[in-house]
Amino acid sequence: DSESKKQQRDLLTQAIEFIDGHYPDESVSLDAVAREVNISPNYFSAMFSQEVGQTFVEYLTGKRISEAKRMLRQTEKRSSEIAFAVGYKDPHYFSFVFKKVLGCTPSEYRRGDRQ
């Protein structure tokens, strides 16, 4: 039992490292990560949310939004450029997700209206 827990943790670590290294790629998906660590998408999804405490999509979105926040405050790149840089192919969808997560638009965030 402890051996299977260790294997599960190793798979999860490998999956998170893959996500953290590839989140700017718009093709990163639950299926792609499951394929990378060689387990079924359903099993990966259940294991991920159980162990991490959030769904795969919540984790990936958090990673992308966190990097977008950094770029908004530390670069002069346009919001659309940042959207592409963090893995969104549609800048309007990026703005929608950003506002849904943080309660403000990317430009409001950049101006410092929100922390």
Side-chain angles (χ1 to χ4, degrees), residues 3 10 23 63-64 72 97 115:
E3 183 58 34
D10 290 348
Y23 71 88
K63 195 84 188 147
R64 287 174 168 169
L72 283 163
V97 171
Q115 298 307 315

Side-chain angles (χ1 to χ4, degrees), residues 47-105:
M47 179 184 69
F48 190 91
S49 53
Q50 182 180 1
E51 296 295 321
V52 177
Q54 57 186 164
T55 67
F56 167 80
V57 171
E58 289 168 340
Y59 182 84
L60 180 60
T61 300
K63 195 84 188 147
R64 287 174 168 169
I65 296 300
S66 178
E67 178 61 11
K69 285 168 53 178
R70 186 194 68 74
M71 292 175 81
L72 283 163
R73 292 273 169 92
Q74 296 178 3
T75 72
E76 295 299 315
K77 289 184 176 186
R78 295 190 342 256
S79 182
S80 60
E81 293 174 287
I82 292 172
F84 297 130
V86 299
Y88 291 97
K89 61 182 168 221
D90 179 351
H92 296 290
Y93 182 67
F94 163 71
S95 292
F96 169 79
V97 171
F98 193 94
K99 184 163 187 169
K100 185 176 165 193
V101 171
L102 293 178
C104 64
T105 66

Side-chain angles (χ1 to χ4, degrees), residues 72 79 98 104-113:
L72 283 163
S79 182
F98 193 94
C104 64
T105 66
S107 53
E108 289 169 340
Y109 184 83
R110 173 173 269 159
R111 285 194 307 266
D113 296 352

Side-chain angles (χ1 to χ4, degrees), residues 10-25 27-37 44 48 56 59-60 63:
D10 290 348
L11 284 175
L12 202 53
T13 300
Q14 189 182 348
I16 288 172
E17 286 174 0
F18 181 81
I19 296 164
D20 291 354
H22 293 84
Y23 71 88
D25 183 348
S27 69
V28 168
S29 66
L30 185 129
D31 286 354
V33 178
R35 216 176 13 259
E36 179 69 23
V37 296
F44 173 66
F48 190 91
F56 167 80
Y59 182 84
L60 180 60
K63 195 84 188 147

